[in-house]
Amino acid sequence: MSRAKNDQNSEHIKQVLKLVGERIRSLREAKGERNYEKFAFKHDLNRTQLWRYENGEDLNFSSLLKVLSALDISLAEFFSEGFDQPTK
C-alpha cells in the first residue's frame, strides 16, 4: 500500500474514532449524565479511558461493548445514527 493510501486510511480511522467519541458523549449527556467522571464511577468504567474514548482516541472493541452496556444501548442502535455518511 502506498504512503498516500496509508495516510488516507489513518485519517479515515481518526474521523471515525472522533464520531464514536462524539456519539458516546451525546448518549451519556442525553441520559442526564453531564459529568463523565461520575458516569464512569457509577458504571465501573475507567474514567480516564472514558475521557479518551469521548475525545476520539482508539479503543478496544470489548471496551466499547462495556460502555454501550452502561449506556443501555445495543451496537445496532449505537451505529444507527451518524455513521451512514462517508468520512473520506
Side-chain angles (χ1 to χ4, degrees), residues 69-88:
S69 176
L71 291 167
D72 194 31
I73 188 170
S74 71
L75 275 172
E77 291 170 313
F78 181 78
F79 286 110
S80 69
E81 291 182 28
F83 294 93
D84 54 349
Q85 300 292 326
T87 58
K88 288 187 177 182

Side-chain angles (χ1 to χ4, degrees), residues 20-63:
V20 168
E22 290 170 355
R23 180 84 165 123
I24 290 171
R25 180 180 291 117
S26 71
L27 289 167
R28 174 181 52 76
E29 291 174 347
K31 290 191 162 286
E33 300 280 356
R34 296 175 52 93
N35 185 301
Y36 81 91
E37 290 176 312
K38 289 180 182 178
F39 178 80
F41 181 74
K42 185 181 199 179
H43 296 282
D44 196 30
L45 300 169
N46 182 297
R47 68 173 180 76
T48 304
Q49 286 302 108
L50 181 59
W51 181 88
R52 287 180 181 151
Y53 302 156
E54 287 189 0
N55 285 283
E57 292 192 24
D58 208 349
L59 67 156
N60 291 323
F61 187 72
S62 59
S63 298

